[in-house]
Amino acid sequence: MLGVKRGALAVGLLCFTLRAWSESPPERPADFVNLGDYAPSVLLDLRYATSNNFVGEVISGYESPRAWLTQKAADALNAAQLRLLPLGYSLKVLDAYRPQRAVLHFVRWARDSEDTTTKSEFYPDLSKAELFAKGYIALESSHSRGSTVDVTLMRRTAEGEWTAVEMGSPYDFFGEVSAAEATGISAEAAAFRSLLRAVMVTNGFEPYAREWWHFTLSDEPYPETYFDFPLSRDPVL
């Protein structure tokens, strides 16, 4: 992608946008569930419904802070949660289903070389162009298929409150330190990454090598479908 001329890239992105929006089913399938209702013990911190993310603004399609997953993925995630709770830990979901329009929002942001507002916090050692080459930004995301989650671990304090554990890098930090098996992180962070990966893999998820937080259900029900229904404000959804 880095070698494509600006005009060709713009045409390609437009064609992809039209194809994705025309092929993506506009409505939420019946087997998608609201994780907040379906697995209420799982903590939620949905960054893309706020400005606390690498783009620095609310992302297209995130009209409400809700986490949707296919029921199959939600069942697997809840099973992982039930293994962690007796140990004093909890999963915290940072992103789940992601509308295709949100993915295209990321692409537009990454192509805007003049917007570097969040560079120091999220990609200090990379240019925006490198985010494509290194696989951090792409035209499609497994999140849009409804069975991928971004998760981290929380630990229960003696007072019964949940606090973050050390994971070695912040969520959505674009750099080698965020790789699932990165070297140079503390022993504590490596242990927590290992615990998270083990419980997720045991319950049917596959990790993504570049991001310690990213997991996709191995036997996902929609492996070729990229949905685009928004996270609506409508309470019925």
Side-chain angles (χ1 to χ4, degrees):
M1 178 171 287
L2 298 181
V4 178
K5 293 183 178 179
R6 181 181 297 272
L9 180 58
V11 172
L13 180 57
L14 176 61
C15 291
F16 177 85
T17 301
L18 293 174
R19 177 179 67 82
W21 281 48
S22 64
E23 292 181 1
S24 297
E27 297 183 356
R28 173 174 53 84
D31 64 339
F32 273 66
V33 298
N34 183 341
L35 194 62
D37 296 329
Y38 195 78
S41 71
V42 174
L43 304 175
L44 302 178
D45 182 11
L46 303 174
R47 304 288 181 85
Y48 299 144
T50 75
S51 60
N52 181 22
N53 57 66
F54 64 88
V55 176
E57 62 187 22
V58 176
I59 304 304
S60 298
Y62 284 81
E63 299 173 4
S64 68
R66 292 181 177 149
W68 289 95
L69 283 176
T70 62
Q71 183 174 337
K72 191 171 185 179
D75 285 337
L77 190 72
N78 192 50
Q81 173 77 339
L82 294 179
R83 285 178 175 264
L84 286 169
L85 287 175
L87 303 177
Y89 296 100
S90 173
L91 294 172
K92 181 166 75 171
V93 170
L94 303 163
D95 194 31
Y97 159 71
R98 180 183 305 167
Q100 178 62 37
R101 69 191 72 187
V103 177
L104 297 178
H105 190 163
F106 294 164
V107 172
R108 291 192 301 272
W109 168 85
R111 291 182 59 236
D112 183 1
S113 60
E114 296 184 1
D115 178 4
T116 58
T117 305
T118 63
K119 179 177 176 60
S120 62
E121 182 177 359
F122 290 99
Y123 57 107
D125 303 318
L126 299 174
S127 68
K128 277 191 169 182
E130 290 177 288
L131 300 181
F132 288 106
K134 293 182 177 294
Y136 296 117
I137 302 291
L139 291 175
E140 292 181 337
S141 170
S142 60
H143 281 277
S144 301
R145 304 195 298 260
S147 296
T148 292
V149 288
D150 291 342
V151 289
T152 188
L153 286 176
M154 301 289 283
R155 176 166 47 195
R156 186 186 290 113
T157 66
E159 294 74 29
E161 299 180 351
W162 293 109
T163 185
V165 303
E166 176 57 50
M167 298 301 289
S169 74
Y171 171 59
D172 265 354
F173 183 85
F174 301 137
E176 294 301 320
V177 71
S178 293
E181 298 186 12
T183 59
I185 62 175
S186 70
E188 180 184 34
F192 283 130
R193 287 190 186 188
S194 180
L195 173 61
L196 177 62
R197 184 166 58 250
V199 73
M200 293 296 285
V201 170
T202 296
N203 287 281
F205 289 90
E206 295 180 357
Y208 177 48
R210 291 188 181 276
E211 299 173 347
W212 58 258
W213 54 81
H214 180 113
F215 296 88
T216 299
L217 189 68
S218 301
D219 188 21
E220 58 182 313
Y222 298 103
E224 304 295 334
T225 304
Y226 294 84
F227 295 97
D228 191 47
F229 62 88
L231 305 175
S232 174
R233 297 186 184 93
D234 186 340
V236 174
L237 296 179

